[in-house]
Amino acid sequence: NLINQFVTEFSASGPDVQITRVTYTLSDPDVKAPMKALADAKCRIIFSVLSASSLFGNVWKEAKAAGLLGPGIQWIGAESIYGEMTADNLRSDHKVDPQDLKGLFVVTPLGGKESSPEFIQFRRDYANWTGIPNKAIPDNYITHIYDAVWSLARAARNMVLTPAIGAGQLLNSTAYLSSLRGVQFTGVTGNVGFDRNGDRTNGVFGVFQWTGDAFPLVGSWEGQGVQMEADKLVFADGSKTAPLDRILLPETAILFGWGGIAAISAVAALALLFLAITFILNIAQSKNTLIYKSSPLFLQYICFGLILLVASIFFWFGDAAAWKCHIRVWFGFVGFSLAYGALLVKNARLWYLFSEPSLRIIAITNQQLTTYLMLILGPQIILLVLWSSLSPFTISSVPNAAGTLR
């Protein structure tokens, strides 16, 4: 019933969730076929309800043989794994390397909050019952059994004190169950209450993760969602990055075919060569009358801007990378603004000189024009700095019809 409910709830979470269910029993402990089925289905998150430690070794060995252990696969197990699995018994009893299971999560009920008054009092009472001062509580089941008995007792008390029910209904299982659902109190294990299905609504559950030699507590659930301690997480690859919850498809950068890349690159290379030669000749011939009267400094600005603009083309090819995206934008915007901004202010000087109706001599220096150029280029640079720092480019992979990632 637990597995059926689990499958039903996850299936309802969306069409992107694909579930493969496999089973095995103590009478048929051969788990090779189930592990192969999970591998064939390319499962990435595996929930395991193991109820007997005798199966652990077979499960882990066959899982490793099927490629279901290690980076890219996340296992989540039931509490029996937490109670039974140690590094020593993995090595000696099951012949399994404990490091192969690094990153495995298990969820198990916690005994309660040790700082709560109820837990402190229970610890004192437990020491008195056993006659051993400061007696450590051996496992979490004891506190849950204690609260379970109190739940039954409170349900019976409520029935007796309710005139419409009375003590005569204590043997009526339907009436007793109805009364039990209404029980609410603060127990050793936290707030005790039940939903209409009889499930605990406010239990305290711990999330533990296998590090290769131990199960440290890395999170908890108290009825308000799971709270994880991210700094304590360590996954199968030794990092703190959770495995992907999807099949890893081959990645391909799809922008242009190699023929198109070769053609565009050849044209761009010729353009860069032409611009570079023009830039050098402009500097070398800056005293030439024709060049001098054409404002050589702004001709150099135009050449340099066009060089940046054309160079940005080469960063559209090859594997996708965030730094390439930034260079495309910076070279493209700055190159365009510098080239056409220099052309604009250079022509503006001519317009201003020839539109003057008087015969007085007007001098507009290169320094003044450069200031005007900076007024055009400055806002572009400010916007690019804000864009690159506040919303930098990131790389994402998108599945396409060819079965690859773009």
Side-chain angles (χ1 to χ4, degrees):
N1 290 335
L2 174 65
I3 295 297
N4 289 336
Q5 182 179 356
F6 175 86
V7 171
T8 299
E9 292 181 0
F10 264 77
S11 298
S13 62
D16 293 336
V17 179
Q18 299 180 11
I19 298 176
T20 300
R21 176 181 173 181
V22 297
T23 58
Y24 48 86
T25 64
L26 287 174
S27 59
D28 183 18
D30 182 8
V31 295
K32 184 173 183 178
M35 293 302 106
K36 185 179 184 301
L38 293 178
D40 291 343
K42 296 181 171 58
C43 293
R44 288 294 175 267
I45 302 176
I46 302 174
F47 295 84
S48 176
V49 182
L50 291 170
S51 58
S53 60
S54 60
L55 289 177
F56 289 177
N58 288 337
V59 169
W60 302 139
K61 282 186 287 189
E62 295 299 341
K64 184 175 182 179
L68 294 176
L69 293 182
I73 308 292
Q74 182 60 58
W75 283 74
I76 301 176
E79 60 180 304
S80 57
I81 298 177
Y82 174 76
E84 298 285 345
M85 198 172 88
T86 66
D88 288 339
N89 69 27
L90 284 174
R91 292 191 192 96
S92 59
D93 299 344
H94 306 310
K95 311 303 180 188
V96 175
D97 185 351
Q99 297 299 318
D100 289 340
L101 301 175
K102 183 183 291 184
L104 162 72
F105 284 113
V106 296
V107 181
T108 184
L110 295 179
K113 289 187 175 180
E114 296 188 3
S115 60
S116 69
E118 292 78 14
F119 193 94
I120 293 172
Q121 183 60 49
F122 179 80
R123 179 178 286 166
R124 294 197 191 104
D125 294 340
Y126 187 76
N128 292 334
W129 297 332
T130 59
I132 304 174
N134 300 318
K135 171 69 173 177
I137 301 173
D139 59 52
N140 296 334
Y141 290 109
I142 290 179
T143 53
H144 284 272
I145 292 172
Y146 182 81
D147 279 349
V149 173
W150 267 108
S151 298
L152 295 171
R154 286 172 179 267
R157 179 178 181 275
N158 291 341
M159 292 177 68
V160 171
L161 296 180
T162 302
I165 301 177
Q169 295 295 314
L170 286 176
L171 297 182
N172 184 325
S173 60
T174 302
Y176 203 116
L177 184 59
S178 177
S179 179
L180 185 61
R181 289 196 182 103
V183 167
Q184 289 186 342
F185 66 99
T186 302
V188 179
T189 60
N191 294 325
V192 177
F194 306 94
D195 61 19
R196 63 179 184 175
N197 297 320
D199 293 326
R200 179 83 177 263
T201 57
N202 293 301
V204 181
F205 292 83
V207 181
F208 299 82
Q209 190 179 38
W210 182 253
T211 61
D213 55 10
F215 265 125
L217 181 69
V218 296
S220 62
W221 180 89
E222 299 183 40
Q224 301 297 323
V226 178
Q227 302 295 323
M228 302 296 289
E229 299 183 49
D231 59 316
K232 293 184 178 180
L233 300 179
V234 178
F235 294 94
D237 61 356
S239 74
K240 296 183 179 297
T241 303
L244 294 175
D245 58 352
R246 62 177 185 269
I247 298 172
L248 297 177
L249 299 175
E251 292 191 1
T252 56
I254 304 175
L255 290 172
F256 303 98
W258 284 111
I261 291 175
I264 295 173
S265 297
V267 174
L270 289 174
L272 284 177
L273 179 62
F274 172 78
L275 290 169
I277 293 173
T278 303
F279 186 83
I280 294 171
L281 289 177
N282 183 277
I283 296 175
Q285 299 294 323
S286 60
K287 301 301 182 181
N288 180 283
T289 302
L290 182 61
I291 300 296
Y292 181 77
K293 291 185 178 296
S294 300
S295 302
L297 177 62
F298 287 88
L299 293 177
Q300 292 162 24
Y301 286 158
I302 293 172
C303 282
F304 186 69
L306 292 175
I307 287 173
L308 290 178
L309 188 58
V310 173
S312 68
I313 293 174
F314 293 98
F315 295 95
W316 287 87
F317 306 141
D319 295 334
W323 64 271
K324 287 184 179 180
C325 297
H326 283 288
I327 290 179
R328 294 173 194 171
V329 173
W330 273 84
F331 279 22
F333 278 92
V334 173
F336 181 88
S337 299
L338 182 58
Y340 286 91
L343 181 62
L344 178 64
V345 297
K346 192 168 80 73
N347 289 336
R349 174 160 60 182
L350 292 175
W351 174 83
Y352 187 72
L353 289 175
F354 285 101
S355 64
E356 173 60 36
S358 67
L359 296 177
R360 67 188 180 94
I361 298 176
I362 300 174
I364 302 176
T365 65
N366 285 342
Q367 184 177 358
Q368 288 176 287
L369 292 183
T370 301
T371 302
Y372 300 148
L373 178 59
M374 288 301 105
L375 292 176
I376 297 174
L377 194 59
Q380 290 276 7
I381 294 177
I382 292 173
L383 288 174
L384 287 171
V385 169
L386 292 175
W387 186 1
S388 299
S389 58
L390 300 180
S391 182
F393 287 102
T394 56
I395 301 301
S396 61
S397 298
V398 181
N400 59 27
T404 61
L405 297 177
R406 183 175 60 190

